[in-house]
Every structure is written in C-alpha cells, then in structure tokens.
Amino acid sequence: MMQSQQYNSAANANPTQRYMIGVDVGGTKIEAVLLDDAAQVLAIARVPARRGADLVVEDIATLARTVGADHWDDVAQVGIGIPGQVDWKTGQVGHVVNLDIVELDLADQVSAQLGGIPVHVENDVNAAAVGAAAVLHEDEEAIAFLNLGTGLAVGLINNGRIMHGASGSAGEIGHIPIDPNRFECPCGQRGCLETVCSGSAVAQLWPTDDGRPPMPDLIARARAGEPAAQRVLAKVKHALGDAVQIVAQAVDPNTIIVGGGMARTGQPLLDAMSEELSARAANCAFLESLQLPARLKLAPADEPTGAIGAALAARV
Amino acid sequence: MMQSQQYNSAANANPTQRYMIGVDVGGTKIEAVLLDDAAQVLAIARVPARRGADLVVEDIATLARTVGADHWDDVAQVGIGIPGQVDWKTGQVGHVVNLDIVELDLADQVSAQLGGIPVHVENDVNAAAVGAAAVLHEDEEAIAFLNLGTGLAVGLINNGRIMHGASGSAGEIGHIPIDPNRFECPCGQRGCLETVCSGSAVAQLWPTDDGRPPMPDLIARARAGEPAAQRVLAKVKHALGDAVQIVAQAVDPNTIIVGGGMARTGQPLLDAMSEELSARAANCAFLESLQLPARLKLAPADEPTGAIGAALAARV
C-alpha cells in the first residue's frame, strides 16, 4: 500500500520526466547521449577533453544541454562516468590524473550549472559495464565487464545493481601483484596484473612505430611466426588468463564482457583469450567445468556504451 | 498489501513453527544444532562421520531428530552444509570425496527420512560464512569468509545473501594458479593458491612429527629464528597475501573472516597475515588506502558456526 502511494505521488509530480542524459568523461574526449525511457539513444554529442576541473564541469554541462535541448524540461537526471576515485554516494571525485583534477564536487557543480537537475557520478568502468550489458541485452544475474584500457579493472553487476564494494574498490584487479614477470608498477608494487594485461602495457611491450594499435599487430605477427611477437603474446595471454580466472573464480559471473581500448582488436583478442583458457583447462576438470571461453563476449565497439551506462547507472 | 496477507497467512498456518535445525557435515564429524528464531543454540549433538551416501543420510537424520526432539512439531526446516559440489537449488550433491559420495539427492533423501520437512543444502564454506557472520554479529553489506581448511575457498555474503555465482563457483579461489612456487595441484593445474595457502598444504610444507597442528609450530619457530621455518613461513604468508588481495580487490568486502582449521592458530595467524599485508602496502598508497589488516577478523573457534550457518542459510 505504501509502495503504490509513493509510486503514484512520484508519477503525479513528474508525469513526463522520462529522459536521461549520460556523459562519459575520458582522458581524450567527453561524450554525451540523450536516452528515452526505453534506453534508446535519441541524441549524441562529443568534444575533445580539456584539462582542469572548471573546464571539465563546463564541457559536461554544455554537452548535456546540447543533447537534451529538445526535451530539456523532461530530463529526469544526468549521469556521469569518469575515471579516478569516485564517491558515487556524494558525487565527489578525486585524482583524475589525465584531466588534472585533484578534488572536485562534480555532481554538485554540474547540477548547479544545469539548474539543479539531479546528477549521479559513477566510476567509468562501472558505467561502461552497465552500458555494455544494456546494449548487449545481457540481463543475467551476474555480469563482469573486463576493461582492458589504460589500466585493468572490472565492473561488476549483480542482480542489475553495480557492486561497489566496501571502499568502492570492487573490481580493482589491475593491482593484484601476481604476474610472474614482476615488472615494477607505478603504484609501488611489483607484478601488478596491469603491468602486462592492459592497453598501455601492451603498447610498451610491443611498440608500433606508425601509431597502429599494438594488440592486433602483435597477434598477427605472432600468428605469422615471428618469435619475438610470440614471446610477448605469450606473456600477455598468460596475464589475460590470470585476470579471467580471478574474476571467474572469485565472482563467477554468467558473462564476462571484454571491453576497453584493447577490445577494439575484436575477434582475434577473444580467440587468443579462449586459446589460453582452453589450454589451462586441458588438464583440469574443475576449470573445464567452468566453461570460461563460452562466457567471454566482446563489448560493442561502435556504440557510446560509456555514456549510455552513465545514464542508466544513475537510475539503478 | 499482498506482502502482509502472505505474512498473515503463513503465520496462521504455522503459528509456532519457528525452530531451525542446522547440520554441518565434515570429513571427520557431523554436527547438528537446534536454533530458536533468534538464532540461539538450544541443543547440539555430534557424531564421527561414517562414509557412504546411505550412512551420511542416516546420520544426518538421526542427529536432526536428536537435537530437535523436544520441539519436533515446531521445526520449520533443516539446513545442511556439506563439502563437494552442491546444487543449492535442488539439494543435490556430488563428489564428496572424503565421504565416498559420488552423487546424492541429499535434500530429498533427508526430507523423506524426516517426514517431509523442508531441507536446504548449502556448500559448507558458504554455510560457515553465514554462521561466522551471525556469531560475530557482522551485518555489513559485504562479508567474505576465507576458509583455510583442507583446501582454500571463500564464502561471500552480499546484503545478507550468499553469492553463489553463475555456476556455484563464486569464491573458489583455491584453484587460481598464480603461486610462484608452481607446485603441482591434484586438480591438474600448477601453482594453485591452495598448494601453499591451506591447512593441508602447510601440513606438507611443515610436517610435525607429533601430530601437533603445523601452523602454530611454524610461526613459533620462525619467530624464534629458525631459518627453515622462516623460509616456509615466507611462502605461506606470500600466498595468504595473494589470497586476501584477490578477495579484497575483486569483491571489496567490509570484513574478511578468517576461518577453517588453520584459523585455530588464532592471533599469531592474524598477526602474520597483517604483517604481510602491511609490508605490501608500505610502498603502495592504493593498497594502503584499502586498510586490509583492519578488515581481518578471526572466526569464532568455539562455536558450531558451520551448523548454525547451515540452519540460517536455509532461511536467507
């Protein structure tokens, strides 16, 4: 009875507020979308990222007004996905190194620029997890989004809700120090998984002199028989295997969505990961029973999943 | 409205059915408790475990009748915790190696022996997690129970509910193959965490000739300066550190309860784990910020947590 009263009263107060805006803040670009209540993208806009707290707030607000222009009075909320330390309960962010932000009341400042509209801020990997799951129509109980970007991190969704963890660090597997190469990590540890298993790590391990993305080149040359490429790829595949086993055996998600910049490699990346996991399972009935290759799925490459997820994360 | 009708109707049908029985099936003993609806232990009984499906079913049923004798008509349910592969949805178990059980419809068979009472079956580590959290009055959002027993596994509780995962394998971190000693594991992999980080592993790495538990002896001798003990303890501490970092950074629980046979070592084990985690965090601000030593808590050693948890897991 209580529940339905609350529902009616909310519906009466805002009978048509059903649009959502999502903004994905990255190190190089900021992208915004307007969604209807079926999560369809009605408008999209992006600008190159500018550094510094004031410019970031200004760019987010401008993009939100741009995509929301035709329906402004019916926009219920704005969701933002951003890297760095994010307190999703307060909307405060810290240490967004790529954008020269030390500390910022992001939700409050953007809300103030937009006439007081509710603003929700989420970690960018969590937002990407929500967006990728929505675009792929994944609605299983447990979903992991393995982000192979500048760093390595996982976004976890359980029963439709982001798992933040006690300190907001759920899914921060990139700094588990178990890689056998024992490379030094800028975090201060040695052997962090992301020193081998991330886009920036592969760019260091396999530099391409013409600016092409390194992972497709590395896989192609290893397949063509180049010993140096095979050695480097073996390291990367090993770290990818460790990352997937950690996620699968700690959390056991139905689906592991592979995303981030490195996932633009596409099917050859998924094939390399499946090979590694199948080889590991060859002698282990337990691992074989987990059927990990069948759980892998590529994130959609051509959709604004980060911005879509930022909008939806504000709702869930 | 619907909810309160259901509540009333259930209350009318079984106005006094409020006792719960929990049975913890181990490799050496079976223990049962009767709980009231405030989860207080009213009766307890245990017998040495006998092998084979028929005897296990018989012993569980007999113990349940023993602890429930004074209140049998008011017992609402029986919960069982058991090692091996457990399908908590159907109550079927498989591959309980220590008890010579290959496959067994455990819930159905025990229920049939007990006049049709509802029976719920749970993985023993998950049941222990629920029991330890209840006894310690841990009611935080996310709790992990690190079971250092014959093997290594974690029970995860999120918002009061056991996280089973897609294939019932959530928390099976013992077979993540990342230990640098690369010991062969009976599972077929090399370097599984539980080849170093488990009670049986420590018994192999540090055999005591008089049957004393090895971990307290290992710690005492390492503290006394014995080089061989220091070398072995360093390996075990390293694997414990990896296990805690995997749990903390994948799932980020508020509390990590340290249980299983090895936890009977008590405070010296917790001190060794805290030392390892503090040393790892010394150069890493991120790891320091997670404050892992402060999240560790010993499981209660003198309470029947497995049986209590088995009873409560049937309810949650």
Side-chain angles (χ1 to χ4, degrees):
Chain A
M1 201 56 189
M2 193 60 159
Q3 278 199 330
S4 70
Q5 277 182 340
Q6 286 178 330
Y7 179 80
N8 289 336
S9 125
N12 290 339
N14 304 305
T16 56
Q17 285 212 359
R18 56 195 187 86
Y19 297 96
M20 299 167 278
I21 289 172
V23 186
D24 180 38
V25 181
T28 57
K29 70 172 198 293
I30 304 180
E31 186 167 57
V33 295
L34 176 74
L35 303 188
D36 64 19
D37 56 5
Q40 294 303 302
V41 177
L42 302 181
I44 183 167
R46 75 177 67 89
V47 293
R50 298 187 294 171
R51 288 164 169 254
D54 290 349
L55 292 178
V56 168
V57 169
E58 183 183 317
D59 288 343
I60 291 172
T62 304
L63 278 177
R65 286 208 181 274
T66 303
V67 295
D70 291 347
H71 301 277
W72 191 256
D73 291 338
D74 300 328
V75 173
Q77 70 210 358
V78 173
I80 301 171
I82 189 166
Q85 290 177 1
V86 175
D87 186 332
W88 60 280
K89 288 178 179 162
T90 65
Q92 294 174 309
V93 303
H95 302 286
V96 192
V97 181
N98 287 338
L99 294 171
D100 293 340
I101 295 173
V102 178
E103 261 191 1
L104 173 61
D105 268 341
L106 183 58
D108 284 352
Q109 293 211 17
V110 170
S111 181
Q113 296 264 327
L114 294 176
I117 199 166
V119 174
H120 177 86
V121 183
E122 191 56 67
N123 169 285
D124 61 339
V125 176
N126 289 342
V130 173
V135 170
L136 292 172
H137 302 291
E138 295 287 339
D139 53 2
E140 292 138 329
E141 187 177 332
I143 298 163
F145 179 86
L146 183 67
N147 191 64
L148 303 168
T150 309
L152 167 67
V154 174
L156 297 169
I157 306 175
N158 198 36
N159 288 318
R161 297 180 66 89
I162 294 170
M163 279 183 60
H164 292 95
S167 63
S169 304
E172 290 289 356
I173 68 165
H175 296 285
I176 299 177
I178 47 87
D179 186 76
N181 296 290
R182 317 297 304 148
F183 294 136
E184 278 186 31
C185 182
C187 86
Q189 300 182 94
R190 270 185 180 277
C192 286
L193 263 178
E194 78 171 37
T195 62
V196 180
C197 184
S198 66
S200 57
V202 174
Q204 273 201 298
L205 292 167
W206 192 255
T208 52
D209 44 19
D210 56 0
R212 279 171 303 148
M215 195 65 185
D217 186 69
L218 177 63
I219 293 175
R221 286 172 188 264
R223 297 257 183 258
E226 282 188 32
Q230 290 173 338
R231 278 194 299 272
V232 171
L233 184 59
K235 286 183 201 215
V236 177
K237 283 169 70 175
H238 186 270
L240 285 164
D242 283 351
V244 171
Q245 277 199 264
I246 286 173
V247 173
Q249 292 171 228
V251 183
D252 192 18
N254 304 71
T255 300
I256 299 175
I257 302 173
V258 182
M262 198 202 284
R264 294 186 175 269
T265 306
Q267 194 58 41
L269 172 65
L270 229 59
D271 291 344
M273 294 174 72
S274 297
E275 270 172 28
E276 174 72 21
L277 295 166
S278 297
R280 288 173 178 227
N283 297 316
C284 178
F286 166 69
L287 198 54
E288 176 70 31
S289 78
L290 298 183
Q291 302 205 40
L292 299 185
R295 301 196 199 188
L296 301 180
K297 195 171 270 192
L298 277 174
D302 302 318
E303 309 249 8
T305 49
I308 292 171
L312 297 177
R315 190 174 63 173
V316 297
Chain B
M1 199 57 186
M2 191 61 158
Q3 277 200 330
S4 70
Q5 273 182 342
Q6 286 178 330
Y7 179 79
N8 288 335
S9 126
N12 289 339
N14 304 305
T16 56
Q17 286 214 356
R18 56 198 187 84
Y19 296 95
M20 298 166 279
I21 289 173
V23 185
D24 180 37
V25 181
T28 56
K29 70 172 198 292
I30 304 181
E31 186 167 58
V33 295
L34 177 74
L35 302 189
D36 65 18
D37 56 4
Q40 295 302 302
V41 176
L42 303 182
I44 183 166
R46 74 176 68 88
V47 293
R50 298 187 293 171
R51 286 165 171 252
D54 290 348
L55 292 177
V56 168
V57 169
E58 183 184 318
D59 288 344
I60 292 171
T62 304
L63 278 176
R65 286 207 180 275
T66 303
V67 296
D70 290 347
H71 301 279
W72 191 255
D73 291 338
D74 300 329
V75 173
Q77 71 209 359
V78 173
I80 302 171
I82 189 166
Q85 290 177 2
V86 176
D87 186 333
W88 60 280
K89 288 179 179 163
T90 65
Q92 295 173 308
V93 304
H95 302 286
V96 191
V97 181
N98 287 340
L99 294 172
D100 293 339
I101 294 172
V102 178
E103 261 191 1
L104 174 61
D105 268 341
L106 183 58
D108 284 353
Q109 293 211 17
V110 171
S111 181
Q113 297 262 329
L114 295 175
I117 200 167
V119 174
H120 177 87
V121 184
E122 190 57 68
N123 169 286
D124 62 339
V125 176
N126 289 342
V130 172
V135 171
L136 292 172
H137 302 291
E138 295 287 339
D139 53 2
E140 293 138 330
E141 187 178 330
I143 298 163
F145 178 87
L146 184 67
N147 191 65
L148 303 168
T150 310
L152 167 67
V154 174
L156 298 169
I157 305 175
N158 197 36
N159 288 317
R161 299 178 66 88
I162 294 170
M163 278 183 60
H164 291 95
S167 63
S169 304
E172 291 289 355
I173 68 165
H175 296 285
I176 298 177
I178 47 85
D179 185 76
N181 297 291
R182 315 299 303 149
F183 294 137
E184 277 186 30
C185 182
C187 86
Q189 300 183 93
R190 271 185 179 278
C192 286
L193 263 179
E194 79 172 36
T195 62
V196 180
C197 184
S198 65
S200 58
V202 173
Q204 273 201 297
L205 292 167
W206 192 254
T208 52
D209 44 19
D210 56 0
R212 278 173 303 146
M215 194 67 186
D217 186 70
L218 176 64
I219 293 175
R221 287 173 188 264
R223 298 253 183 261
E226 282 188 33
Q230 290 174 338
R231 277 194 300 273
V232 170
L233 184 59
K235 285 183 202 217
V236 177
K237 283 169 70 173
H238 186 269
L240 285 164
D242 283 350
V244 172
Q245 278 199 262
I246 285 174
V247 173
Q249 293 172 227
V251 183
D252 193 20
N254 304 71
T255 300
I256 299 174
I257 303 174
V258 182
M262 198 201 284
R264 293 183 176 272
T265 307
Q267 194 59 40
L269 172 64
L270 229 59
D271 292 345
M273 293 174 73
S274 296
E275 270 172 29
E276 173 72 20
L277 294 167
S278 297
R280 288 174 179 227
N283 296 314
C284 178
F286 166 69
L287 198 54
E288 176 71 30
S289 77
L290 298 184
Q291 302 205 42
L292 299 186
R295 301 195 199 187
L296 301 180
K297 193 171 273 193
L298 277 175
D302 301 319
E303 310 249 7
T305 49
I308 293 172
L312 296 176
R315 191 173 63 172
V316 297

